[in-house]
Amino acid sequence: MKITHHIAATVFVASLAVAPIALAQDADTEKAIERYRQMLKEDPWSNPGLLDADRGEALWTTARGPKNVSLETCDLGKGPGKVDGAFAELPRYFADAKKVMDLETRILWCMEQLQGFNSADLVKRPHPGGGQPVKELGAIATYVASKSNGMKFSAKLDKPQEKEVVALGDALFHRRSGPFDFSCATCHAAEGLRIRLQGLPFLVNPEAAKKVVGEWPAYRVSTTHVMTMQHRLYDCYWQMRMPELQLGSDVSIALSAYLAKNAEGGDISAPALKR
Amino acid sequence: MQKISLLVGALVIGIAAAQAQQKTHIDPVKVDAAIKAAFPTAPADWALRLTPDETMKQCSASHNDPAKNVAAAIVTREKASIEYPADGNFIGDWKKGEALAQNGYGMRFSDYPPARPNGGNCYACHQLTKKEVSYGTLGPSLLEYGKLRDFKPDAVKATYEKIYNSHVALPCSNMPRFGANKILTIDQIKDAVALLMSPDSPVNKGQ
């Protein structure tokens, strides 16, 4: 923790001259942000993400795709068609796919296997731009996740294949890459940090991870759409000046698994409202 | 007795280290392969973005806390990357530096072809002036940065080097290597130095 110390020492030295003003400013800023969050939370039914959960439910039950069947026989891990509580136990290893899958990757798999959609087409432009609604796959993910709302993250992740994926996620979380040398850990490996005014969750820390990981998929006020976990990760890599992260790639699954493991026991409140 | 407790202590540390290693061990070849497969639309000239250099590898492996000898090697290697202004003048225009500090444009996949020069985005991580209250806290506050260093020429040069390649000042620093990785030009770095080190900059005038 050499760096933390170094930064702390520098901050301390720098703050000697200005401490009272800077600290008061920090406190005011935090308060203003918290007020904003509170306003968003006060009326849960004002959450437009719930409309996407409804849309996702309709998509789940409607016969669609080249094979014209619904997703009601899709096995999300608790048996065919069982949606209640399924998200709480993901990611997990699926013997039929011989792969550990997170929520979105599993839905993608079902859309291909059961409905006959071409997954290559579905991952081409999988995420909405600002102002557009979440795409179909994301709406279905929002529906499924909402059916674990109020439950706790309880993915076991104890099979050898699952353990390996979590370890891969851990390595990826700390892997610096791109022209800015960023890793996930650059922003998410210490407490109480901000980019500009945006607070950054300390995702390495289970207590902090428990508070936020279960909020995704979430409705994002700034972009007026639901953002899924895969989209969230895609956006982090965009910020890291990396290329476009493919939905369902091993990297996206591994990071989801690593986060779910860190958030084990945390409340699921998807879709939550975010800034 | 002391010997025994020392031995037990060493054993405990050994076990803890083994457990930590067991928990996180994954073949780096697998990590690289996963990265290679995860970004299929990467343009050919972005291949380097997927491949960490030696310094990044050492920082990732040590979670940014390199052993002493590794840290020394990083400093030597990164110091060699620094190009200095031809005229030996490190201080540009602080007003341009302030604009640079506000601007986060550049090098994302949505920023091509480039519409304008890259920004430095200093405020994303640092407090610099009192006027700008929207600042990040990933890096230390830089309020009165030059004043606290008495505007000394050595400190001016060190500031240039730190922005050009932060690992020279702090091996495995979280800060991008703005010069070494061609994020900013030498002139832009001089403007950022001016923002920090000019006596008339708002950073040093308490504005």
Side-chain angles (χ1 to χ4, degrees), chain A residues 91-101 157 159 161-162:
Chain A
R92 71 197 298 160
Y93 178 75
F94 288 91
D96 54 7
K98 295 192 180 62
K99 206 174 155 70
V100 175
M101 292 172 154
L157 297 166
K159 294 201 175 88
Q161 299 94 333
E162 295 167 342

Side-chain angles (χ1 to χ4, degrees), chain A residues 26 164 179 181 194 196 238, chain B residues 30 64 110 135 173 177 181:
Chain A
D26 275 353
E164 171 146 341
D181 302 332
R194 297 189 330 236
R196 290 277 186 162
W238 169 80
Chain B
K30 275 191 184 166
N64 298 322
S110 53
Y135 60 86
S173 159
R177 293 171 282 183
N181 281 354

Side-chain angles (χ1 to χ4, degrees), chain B residues 50 67 115 121-122 141 152:
Chain B
L50 305 182
N121 214 11
C122 315
S141 169
K152 283 185 182 145

